[in-house]
Amino acid sequence: MATVAPSVATQLGLPSSTTGVLVQDVVKGSPAEKGGLKSGDVLLSLGGETITSVEDAFAANRSRKVGEHVELVALRGGAQRTLPATLGSHRPQ
């Protein structure tokens, strides 16, 4: 994950005012993949909490319990999407 700065937003073809976190990789079988996140998505919110940095994303996730159902809001291809997700603990094999 990487915080979307104005220069990154411009490179992604988004308005420079876009804030969020760029999803760089999604681990196969992870809660993120099961929730529908894909590489290249820009995560805007998690469970109603606005995400403007990687730190925000980790804090929003830490403040919840494994198994909790949340909505993720992400930009994909310039369109905003709402994705239902169940938070989990995934450890790559």
Side-chain angles (χ1 to χ4, degrees):
M1 289 192 299
T3 299
V4 176
S7 61
V8 173
T10 302
Q11 289 174 351
L12 296 172
L14 301 170
S16 62
S17 60
T18 303
T19 59
V21 172
L22 176 64
V23 178
Q24 295 173 309
D25 189 34
V26 178
V27 176
K28 186 173 177 108
S30 69
E33 181 190 51
K34 291 175 184 174
L37 278 179
K38 296 185 180 203
S39 290
D41 286 352
V42 176
L43 183 62
L44 304 174
S45 73
L46 186 153
E49 291 186 49
T50 300
I51 305 297
T52 60
S53 68
V54 173
E55 292 79 13
D56 287 349
F58 286 127
N61 192 40
R62 272 194 312 270
S63 69
R64 292 174 165 71
K65 295 180 181 182
V66 171
E68 186 174 337
H69 300 283
V70 297
E71 284 191 345
L72 306 176
V73 177
L75 286 175
R76 181 181 302 152
Q80 187 170 302
R81 298 172 184 260
T82 301
L83 307 167
T86 302
L87 299 179
S89 176
H90 179 77
R91 294 172 197 231
Q93 303 291 323

Coordinates of all heavy atoms in Angstrom, one line a residue:
M1 N 0.8 -1.2 0.0 CA 0.0 0.0 0.0 C 0.9 1.2 0.0 O 2.0 1.2 0.6 CB -0.9 0.0 1.2 CG -2.0 -1.0 1.2 SD -3.3 -0.8 2.5 CE -2.3 -0.9 4.0
A2 N 0.4 2.3 -0.6 CA 1.1 3.5 -0.6 C 0.1 4.7 -0.6 O -1.0 4.6 -1.2 CB 1.9 3.7 -1.9
T3 N 0.4 5.7 0.3 CA -0.4 6.9 0.4 C -0.5 7.6 -1.0 O 0.6 7.7 -1.6 CB 0.1 7.8 1.4 OG1 0.1 7.1 2.7 CG2 -0.7 9.1 1.5
V4 N -1.7 8.0 -1.4 CA -1.8 8.7 -2.7 C -1.6 10.1 -2.5 O -2.4 10.8 -1.9 CB -3.2 8.4 -3.3 CG1 -3.4 9.2 -4.6 CG2 -3.4 6.9 -3.6
A5 N -0.4 10.6 -3.0 CA -0.1 12.0 -2.9 C -0.5 12.6 -4.3 O -0.9 11.9 -5.2 CB 1.5 12.2 -2.8
P6 N -0.6 13.9 -4.4 CA -1.1 14.5 -5.6 C -0.4 14.0 -6.9 O -1.0 13.8 -7.9 CB -0.9 16.0 -5.4 CG -1.0 16.2 -3.9 CD -0.4 15.0 -3.4
S7 N 1.0 13.8 -6.8 CA 1.7 13.4 -8.0 C 1.3 11.9 -8.3 O 1.2 11.6 -9.5 CB 3.2 13.4 -7.7 OG 3.6 12.6 -6.6
V8 N 1.0 11.1 -7.3 CA 0.6 9.7 -7.6 C -0.8 9.7 -8.2 O -1.1 9.0 -9.2 CB 0.6 8.9 -6.3 CG1 0.0 7.5 -6.5 CG2 2.1 8.8 -5.8
A9 N -1.7 10.6 -7.7 CA -3.1 10.7 -8.2 C -3.0 11.0 -9.7 O -3.7 10.4 -10.5 CB -3.9 11.7 -7.4
T10 N -2.2 12.0 -10.0 CA -2.1 12.4 -11.4 C -1.6 11.3 -12.3 O -2.1 11.1 -13.4 CB -1.1 13.7 -11.5 OG1 -1.7 14.7 -10.7 CG2 -1.0 14.2 -12.9
Q11 N -0.6 10.5 -11.8 CA -0.1 9.4 -12.6 C -1.1 8.3 -12.8 O -1.1 7.6 -13.8 CB 1.1 8.8 -11.9 CG 2.4 9.6 -11.9 CD 3.5 9.0 -11.0 OE1 3.3 8.1 -10.3 NE2 4.7 9.6 -11.2
L12 N -2.1 8.2 -11.9 CA -3.2 7.3 -12.0 C -4.3 7.8 -12.8 O -5.3 7.1 -13.0 CB -3.7 6.9 -10.6 CG -2.7 6.1 -9.7 CD1 -3.2 6.0 -8.3 CD2 -2.3 4.8 -10.3
G13 N -4.2 9.0 -13.3 CA -5.3 9.6 -14.1 C -6.4 10.2 -13.2 O -7.5 10.3 -13.7
L14 N -6.2 10.4 -11.9 CA -7.2 10.9 -11.0 C -6.9 12.4 -10.7 O -5.8 12.8 -10.9 CB -7.1 10.1 -9.7 CG -7.3 8.6 -9.8 CD1 -7.0 7.9 -8.5 CD2 -8.8 8.3 -10.2
P15 N -7.9 13.1 -10.3 CA -7.7 14.5 -9.9 C -6.6 14.5 -8.8 O -6.5 13.7 -7.9 CB -9.0 14.9 -9.3 CG -10.0 14.0 -9.9 CD -9.3 12.7 -10.1
S16 N -5.8 15.6 -8.9 CA -4.7 15.7 -7.9 C -5.2 15.8 -6.5 O -4.4 15.6 -5.5 CB -3.7 16.8 -8.2 OG -4.5 18.1 -8.2
S17 N -6.4 16.2 -6.3 CA -7.0 16.3 -4.9 C -7.4 14.9 -4.3 O -7.8 14.9 -3.2 CB -8.2 17.2 -5.0 OG -9.2 16.7 -5.8
T18 N -7.3 13.9 -5.1 CA -7.7 12.5 -4.6 C -6.8 12.1 -3.4 O -5.6 12.2 -3.5 CB -7.6 11.5 -5.7 OG1 -8.4 11.9 -6.8 CG2 -8.0 10.1 -5.3
T19 N -7.4 11.7 -2.4 CA -6.6 11.1 -1.2 C -7.1 9.7 -1.0 O -8.2 9.4 -1.3 CB -6.8 12.0 0.0 OG1 -8.2 12.0 0.4 CG2 -6.3 13.4 -0.1
G20 N -6.2 8.9 -0.5 CA -6.5 7.5 -0.2 C -5.2 6.7 -0.2 O -4.2 7.2 0.0
V21 N -5.4 5.4 -0.3 CA -4.3 4.5 -0.3 C -4.3 3.6 -1.5 O -5.3 3.0 -1.8 CB -4.3 3.6 1.0 CG1 -3.2 2.6 0.9 CG2 -4.1 4.5 2.2
L22 N -3.2 3.6 -2.3 CA -3.1 2.8 -3.5 C -2.9 1.3 -3.0 O -1.9 1.1 -2.3 CB -2.0 3.3 -4.4 CG -1.7 2.4 -5.6 CD1 -2.9 2.4 -6.6 CD2 -0.5 2.9 -6.3
V23 N -3.7 0.4 -3.5 CA -3.5 -1.0 -3.2 C -2.5 -1.5 -4.3 O -2.9 -1.5 -5.5 CB -4.9 -1.8 -3.3 CG1 -4.6 -3.3 -3.1 CG2 -5.8 -1.2 -2.3
Q24 N -1.4 -1.9 -3.8 CA -0.3 -2.3 -4.8 C -0.3 -3.8 -5.0 O 0.0 -4.2 -6.1 CB 1.1 -1.9 -4.3 CG 1.2 -0.4 -4.2 CD 2.5 0.1 -3.6 OE1 2.8 -0.4 -2.5 NE2 3.2 0.9 -4.2
D25 N -0.7 -4.6 -4.0 CA -0.8 -6.0 -4.2 C -1.8 -6.6 -3.3 O -2.0 -6.1 -2.2 CB 0.6 -6.6 -3.8 CG 0.7 -8.1 -4.1 OD1 0.2 -8.5 -5.1 OD2 1.4 -8.8 -3.3
V26 N -2.5 -7.6 -3.8 CA -3.6 -8.3 -3.0 C -3.2 -9.7 -2.9 O -3.0 -10.4 -3.9 CB -5.0 -8.1 -3.6 CG1 -6.0 -8.9 -2.8 CG2 -5.3 -6.6 -3.7
V27 N -3.0 -10.2 -1.7 CA -2.6 -11.6 -1.5 C -3.8 -12.5 -1.8 O -4.9 -12.3 -1.3 CB -2.1 -11.8 0.0 CG1 -1.8 -13.3 0.3 CG2 -0.9 -10.9 0.3
K28 N -3.5 -13.6 -2.6 CA -4.5 -14.5 -2.9 C -5.0 -15.2 -1.7 O -4.3 -15.6 -0.8 CB -3.9 -15.6 -3.9 CG -4.9 -16.6 -4.4 CD -4.3 -17.5 -5.4 CE -5.3 -18.5 -5.9 NZ -5.8 -18.3 -7.2
G29 N -6.4 -15.2 -1.6 CA -7.0 -15.9 -0.4 C -7.2 -15.0 0.8 O -7.7 -15.4 1.8
S30 N -6.6 -13.8 0.7 CA -6.7 -12.8 1.8 C -8.1 -12.2 2.0 O -8.9 -12.2 1.0 CB -5.7 -11.7 1.7 OG -6.1 -10.9 0.6
P31 N -8.4 -11.7 3.2 CA -9.7 -11.0 3.3 C -9.8 -9.8 2.3 O -10.9 -9.6 1.9 CB -9.6 -10.4 4.8 CG -8.7 -11.4 5.5 CD -7.6 -11.8 4.4
A32 N -8.7 -9.2 1.9 CA -8.8 -8.1 0.9 C -9.3 -8.6 -0.4 O -10.2 -8.1 -1.0 CB -7.5 -7.4 0.8
E33 N -8.7 -9.8 -0.8 CA -9.2 -10.4 -2.1 C -10.6 -10.8 -2.0 O -11.4 -10.6 -2.9 CB -8.3 -11.6 -2.5 CG -8.7 -12.2 -3.8 CD -8.0 -13.5 -4.1 OE1 -8.1 -14.4 -3.3 OE2 -7.5 -13.6 -5.2
K34 N -11.0 -11.5 -0.9 CA -12.4 -11.9 -0.7 C -13.3 -10.8 -0.7 O -14.5 -10.9 -1.1 CB -12.5 -12.8 0.6 CG -11.7 -14.1 0.5 CD -11.8 -14.9 1.8 CE -11.0 -16.1 1.7 NZ -10.9 -16.8 3.0
G35 N -12.9 -9.6 -0.2 CA -13.7 -8.4 -0.2 C -13.8 -7.7 -1.6 O -14.6 -6.8 -1.7
G36 N -13.0 -8.2 -2.5 CA -13.1 -7.6 -3.9 C -12.1 -6.6 -4.2 O -12.1 -6.0 -5.3
L37 N -11.1 -6.3 -3.3 CA -10.1 -5.3 -3.6 C -9.1 -5.9 -4.7 O -8.9 -7.1 -4.7 CB -9.2 -4.9 -2.4 CG -9.8 -3.9 -1.5 CD1 -8.9 -3.7 -0.3 CD2 -10.1 -2.6 -2.2
K38 N -8.6 -5.0 -5.5 CA -7.7 -5.5 -6.6 C -6.5 -4.5 -6.6 O -6.6 -3.3 -6.2 CB -8.4 -5.4 -8.0 CG -9.5 -6.4 -8.0 CD -10.1 -6.5 -9.4 CE -11.3 -7.5 -9.4 NZ -11.5 -8.1 -10.7
S39 N -5.4 -5.0 -7.1 CA -4.2 -4.2 -7.3 C -4.6 -3.0 -8.2 O -5.4 -3.2 -9.2 CB -3.1 -4.9 -8.0 OG -2.6 -5.9 -7.1
G40 N -4.2 -1.8 -7.8 CA -4.5 -0.6 -8.5 C -5.7 0.2 -8.0 O -5.9 1.3 -8.3
D41 N -6.5 -0.5 -7.1 CA -7.6 0.3 -6.5 C -7.0 1.3 -5.5 O -5.9 1.2 -5.0 CB -8.5 -0.7 -5.6 CG -9.4 -1.6 -6.4 OD1 -9.5 -1.4 -7.6 OD2 -10.0 -2.5 -5.8
V42 N -7.8 2.4 -5.3 CA -7.4 3.4 -4.3 C -8.5 3.3 -3.2 O -9.7 3.6 -3.5 CB -7.4 4.8 -5.0 CG1 -7.1 5.9 -3.9 CG2 -6.3 4.9 -6.1
L43 N -8.1 2.9 -2.1 CA -9.0 2.7 -0.9 C -9.3 4.1 -0.3 O -8.3 4.9 0.0 CB -8.3 1.8 0.1 CG -9.1 1.5 1.4 CD1 -10.4 0.8 1.0 CD2 -8.3 0.7 2.4
L44 N -10.6 4.5 -0.3 CA -11.0 5.8 0.2 C -11.5 5.7 1.7 O -11.4 6.7 2.4 CB -12.1 6.4 -0.7 CG -11.7 6.5 -2.2 CD1 -12.9 7.0 -3.0 CD2 -10.5 7.5 -2.3
S45 N -12.2 4.6 2.0 CA -12.7 4.5 3.4 C -12.9 3.0 3.7 O -13.0 2.2 2.9 CB -14.0 5.2 3.5 OG -15.1 4.5 2.9
L46 N -12.8 2.8 5.0 CA -13.0 1.4 5.6 C -13.9 1.6 6.8 O -13.7 2.3 7.7 CB -11.6 0.9 6.1 CG -11.6 -0.5 6.5 CD1 -10.2 -1.1 6.3 CD2 -12.0 -0.7 8.0
G47 N -15.1 0.9 6.7 CA -16.1 1.0 7.8 C -16.5 2.4 8.1 O -16.8 2.7 9.3
G48 N -16.6 3.3 7.1 CA -17.1 4.6 7.3 C -16.0 5.6 7.7 O -16.2 6.8 7.8
E49 N -14.8 5.1 7.9 CA -13.6 6.0 8.3 C -12.9 6.4 7.0 O -12.4 5.5 6.3 CB -12.7 5.3 9.3 CG -13.3 5.1 10.6 CD -12.3 4.5 11.6 OE1 -11.1 5.1 11.7 OE2 -12.6 3.5 12.3
T50 N -12.7 7.7 6.8 CA -12.0 8.1 5.7 C -10.5 7.7 5.8 O -9.9 7.8 6.8 CB -12.1 9.7 5.6 OG1 -13.4 10.0 5.5 CG2 -11.3 10.2 4.4
I51 N -10.0 7.2 4.7 CA -8.6 6.8 4.6 C -7.8 7.8 3.7 O -8.1 8.0 2.6 CB -8.5 5.4 4.0 CG1 -9.3 4.4 4.7 CG2 -7.0 4.9 3.9 CD1 -9.0 4.2 6.2
T52 N -6.8 8.5 4.3 CA -6.0 9.4 3.6 C -4.5 9.0 3.6 O -3.7 9.7 2.9 CB -6.2 10.8 4.1 OG1 -5.7 10.9 5.5 CG2 -7.6 11.3 4.0
S53 N -4.2 8.0 4.3 CA -2.8 7.5 4.4 C -2.8 6.1 4.8 O -3.7 5.5 5.2 CB -2.0 8.4 5.4 OG -2.5 8.0 6.7
V54 N -1.6 5.5 4.6 CA -1.4 4.1 5.0 C -1.7 3.9 6.5 O -2.3 3.0 6.9 CB 0.0 3.6 4.6 CG1 0.3 2.2 5.2 CG2 0.2 3.6 3.1
E55 N -1.2 4.9 7.2 CA -1.4 4.9 8.7 C -2.9 4.8 9.0 O -3.3 4.1 9.9 CB -0.8 6.1 9.4 CG 0.8 6.0 9.3 CD 1.3 6.5 8.0 OE1 0.6 7.1 7.1 OE2 2.5 6.2 7.8
D56 N -3.7 5.6 8.3 CA -5.2 5.6 8.5 C -5.8 4.2 8.3 O -6.6 3.8 9.0 CB -5.9 6.6 7.6 CG -5.7 8.1 7.9 OD1 -5.2 8.4 9.0 OD2 -6.1 8.9 7.1
A57 N -5.3 3.6 7.2 CA -5.8 2.3 6.8 C -5.5 1.3 7.9 O -6.4 0.5 8.3 CB -5.2 1.8 5.5
F58 N -4.3 1.3 8.4 CA -3.9 0.3 9.5 C -4.7 0.7 10.8 O -5.2 -0.3 11.5 CB -2.4 0.4 9.8 CG -1.6 -0.3 8.7 CD1 -0.6 0.3 8.1 CD2 -1.9 -1.6 8.3 CE1 0.2 -0.3 7.1 CE2 -1.2 -2.3 7.4 CZ -0.1 -1.6 6.8
A59 N -4.8 1.9 11.1 CA -5.6 2.3 12.3 C -7.1 1.9 12.2 O -7.6 1.4 13.2 CB -5.5 3.8 12.6
A60 N -7.7 2.1 11.1 CA -9.1 1.7 10.9 C -9.3 0.2 11.0 O -10.2 -0.2 11.6 CB -9.6 2.2 9.5
N61 N -8.3 -0.5 10.5 CA -8.4 -2.0 10.6 C -8.1 -2.5 12.0 O -8.8 -3.3 12.5 CB -7.3 -2.6 9.6 CG -7.6 -4.1 9.5 OD1 -8.7 -4.5 9.4 ND2 -6.5 -4.8 9.4
R62 N -7.1 -1.9 12.7 CA -6.8 -2.3 14.1 C -7.9 -2.0 15.0 O -8.1 -2.7 16.1 CB -5.6 -1.5 14.6 CG -4.3 -2.2 14.2 CD -3.1 -1.6 15.1 NE -3.1 -0.1 15.0 CZ -2.5 0.6 14.1 NH1 -1.8 0.1 13.2 NH2 -2.5 2.0 14.2
S63 N -8.8 -1.0 14.8 CA -9.8 -0.6 15.7 C -11.0 -1.5 15.6 O -12.0 -1.3 16.3 CB -10.2 0.8 15.5 OG -10.9 1.0 14.2
R64 N -10.9 -2.5 14.8 CA -12.0 -3.5 14.6 C -11.6 -4.9 14.9 O -10.5 -5.2 15.1 CB -12.5 -3.4 13.1 CG -13.2 -2.1 12.8 CD -13.5 -1.9 11.4 NE -14.4 -0.8 11.2 CZ -14.1 0.5 11.4 NH1 -12.9 0.8 11.7 NH2 -15.0 1.5 11.3
K65 N -12.6 -5.8 15.0 CA -12.4 -7.2 15.3 C -12.4 -8.1 14.1 O -13.1 -7.8 13.2 CB -13.4 -7.6 16.3 CG -13.4 -6.9 17.6 CD -14.4 -7.4 18.6 CE -14.3 -6.6 19.9 NZ -15.3 -7.0 20.9
V66 N -11.6 -9.1 14.2 CA -11.6 -10.2 13.2 C -13.1 -10.7 13.0 O -13.7 -10.9 14.0 CB -10.7 -11.3 13.5 CG1 -10.8 -12.5 12.6 CG2 -9.2 -10.8 13.5
G67 N -13.5 -10.8 11.8 CA -14.9 -11.3 11.6 C -15.9 -10.1 11.4 O -17.1 -10.4 11.0
E68 N -15.5 -8.9 11.7 CA -16.4 -7.8 11.6 C -16.7 -7.5 10.1 O -15.8 -7.5 9.3 CB -15.8 -6.5 12.3 CG -16.8 -5.4 12.3 CD -16.2 -4.2 13.1 OE1 -15.3 -4.4 14.0 OE2 -16.7 -3.1 12.9
H69 N -17.9 -7.2 9.8 CA -18.3 -6.9 8.4 C -18.2 -5.4 8.3 O -18.8 -4.6 9.1 CB -19.7 -7.3 8.1 CG -19.9 -8.8 8.3 ND1 -19.4 -9.7 7.3 CD2 -20.4 -9.6 9.2 CE1 -19.7 -10.9 7.7 NE2 -20.3 -10.9 8.9
V70 N -17.6 -4.9 7.2 CA -17.4 -3.5 7.0 C -17.6 -3.2 5.5 O -17.6 -4.1 4.6 CB -16.0 -3.0 7.3 CG1 -15.7 -3.1 8.8 CG2 -14.9 -3.7 6.6
E71 N -17.8 -2.0 5.1 CA -17.9 -1.6 3.7 C -16.5 -0.9 3.4 O -16.1 0.0 4.2 CB -19.0 -0.6 3.5 CG -20.4 -1.3 3.4 CD -21.4 -0.3 2.9 OE1 -21.3 0.9 2.8 OE2 -22.5 -0.9 2.5
L72 N -16.0 -1.3 2.3 CA -14.8 -0.6 1.8 C -15.3 0.3 0.6 O -16.1 -0.2 -0.2 CB -13.8 -1.6 1.2 CG -13.3 -2.7 2.2 CD1 -12.4 -3.7 1.5 CD2 -12.6 -2.1 3.4
V73 N -14.8 1.5 0.5 CA -15.0 2.3 -0.6 C -13.7 2.5 -1.3 O -12.7 2.9 -0.7 CB -15.7 3.7 -0.2 CG1 -15.9 4.6 -1.4 CG2 -17.0 3.4 0.5
A74 N -13.7 2.2 -2.6 CA -12.5 2.3 -3.4 C -12.8 2.9 -4.8 O -13.9 2.8 -5.3 CB -11.9 0.9 -3.5
L75 N -11.7 3.5 -5.4 CA -11.8 3.9 -6.8 C -11.1 2.8 -7.6 O -10.1 2.4 -7.3 CB -11.0 5.2 -6.9 CG -11.6 6.5 -6.4 CD1 -10.7 7.7 -6.6 CD2 -12.9 6.8 -7.2
R76 N -11.8 2.5 -8.7 CA -11.2 1.6 -9.6 C -11.6 2.1 -11.0 O -12.8 2.2 -11.3 CB -11.8 0.1 -9.5 CG -11.2 -0.9 -10.4 CD -11.8 -2.3 -10.2 NE -11.5 -2.7 -8.9 CZ -12.3 -3.6 -8.3 NH1 -13.4 -4.1 -8.9 NH2 -12.0 -4.0 -7.0
G77 N -10.6 2.4 -11.8 CA -10.9 2.9 -13.2 C -11.6 4.2 -13.2 O -12.4 4.4 -14.1
G78 N -11.4 5.0 -12.1 CA -12.1 6.3 -12.0 C -13.5 6.2 -11.5 O -14.1 7.3 -11.2
A79 N -14.0 5.0 -11.2 CA -15.4 4.9 -10.7 C -15.3 4.4 -9.2 O -14.5 3.6 -8.9 CB -16.2 3.9 -11.5
Q80 N -16.1 5.0 -8.4 CA -16.2 4.7 -7.0 C -17.0 3.4 -6.8 O -18.1 3.3 -7.4 CB -16.8 5.8 -6.2 CG -16.7 5.6 -4.7 CD -17.1 6.9 -3.9 OE1 -16.5 7.9 -4.1 NE2 -18.1 6.7 -3.1
R81 N -16.5 2.5 -6.0 CA -17.2 1.2 -5.7 C -17.3 1.0 -4.2 O -16.3 1.3 -3.5 CB -16.4 0.0 -6.3 CG -16.2 0.1 -7.8 CD -15.3 -1.0 -8.3 NE -15.1 -0.9 -9.7 CZ -15.7 -1.6 -10.7 NH1 -16.5 -2.5 -10.3 NH2 -15.5 -1.4 -11.9
T82 N -18.4 0.4 -3.8 CA -18.5 0.0 -2.4 C -18.5 -1.5 -2.4 O -19.2 -2.2 -3.1 CB -19.9 0.5 -1.9 OG1 -19.9 1.9 -2.0 CG2 -20.1 0.1 -0.4
L83 N -17.6 -2.0 -1.6 CA -17.3 -3.4 -1.5 C -17.6 -3.9 -0.1 O -17.0 -3.4 0.9 CB -15.8 -3.7 -1.9 CG -15.4 -3.1 -3.2 CD1 -13.8 -3.2 -3.3 CD2 -16.0 -3.9 -4.3
P84 N -18.4 -4.9 0.1 CA -18.6 -5.5 1.4 C -17.4 -6.4 1.8 O -16.9 -7.2 0.9 CB -19.9 -6.3 1.3 CG -19.9 -6.7 -0.2 CD -19.3 -5.5 -0.9
A85 N -16.9 -6.3 3.0 CA -15.8 -7.2 3.3 C -15.9 -7.6 4.8 O -16.6 -7.0 5.6 CB -14.5 -6.3 3.2
T86 N -15.3 -8.8 5.0 CA -15.2 -9.3 6.4 C -13.8 -9.3 6.8 O -12.9 -9.9 6.1 CB -15.8 -10.8 6.4 OG1 -17.1 -10.8 6.0 CG2 -15.7 -11.3 7.8
L87 N -13.5 -8.6 7.9 CA -12.1 -8.4 8.3 C -11.6 -9.8 8.9 O -12.4 -10.5 9.5 CB -12.0 -7.4 9.4 CG -12.4 -6.0 9.0 CD1 -12.3 -5.0 10.1 CD2 -11.6 -5.5 7.8
G88 N -10.4 -10.0 8.6 CA -9.8 -11.3 9.0 C -8.3 -11.1 9.3 O -7.7 -10.1 9.2
S89 N -7.7 -12.2 9.7 CA -6.3 -12.3 9.9 C -5.8 -13.3 8.9 O -6.1 -14.4 9.0 CB -6.1 -12.7 11.3 OG -4.7 -12.9 11.5
H90 N -5.0 -12.8 8.0 CA -4.4 -13.6 6.9 C -2.9 -13.7 7.0 O -2.3 -12.6 7.1 CB -4.8 -13.2 5.6 CG -4.3 -14.0 4.5 ND1 -4.8 -15.2 4.1 CD2 -3.2 -13.8 3.7 CE1 -4.1 -15.7 3.2 NE2 -3.1 -14.9 2.9
R91 N -2.4 -14.8 7.0 CA -0.9 -15.0 7.0 C -0.5 -15.7 5.8 O -0.9 -16.9 5.6 CB -0.4 -15.7 8.3 CG -0.7 -14.9 9.5 CD -0.5 -15.7 10.7 NE -1.2 -15.1 11.8 CZ -0.6 -14.7 12.9 NH1 0.6 -15.1 13.2 NH2 -1.3 -14.1 13.9
P92 N 0.2 -15.1 4.9 CA 0.6 -15.8 3.6 C 1.3 -17.1 3.9 O 2.1 -17.2 4.9 CB 1.5 -14.8 2.9 CG 1.2 -13.5 3.6 CD 0.8 -13.8 4.9
Q93 N 1.0 -18.1 3.1 CA 1.7 -19.4 3.2 C 3.1 -19.3 2.8 O 3.5 -18.7 1.9 CB 0.9 -20.4 2.4 CG -0.6 -20.5 2.7 CD -0.8 -21.1 4.1 OE1 -0.1 -22.0 4.5 NE2 -1.8 -20.6 4.8

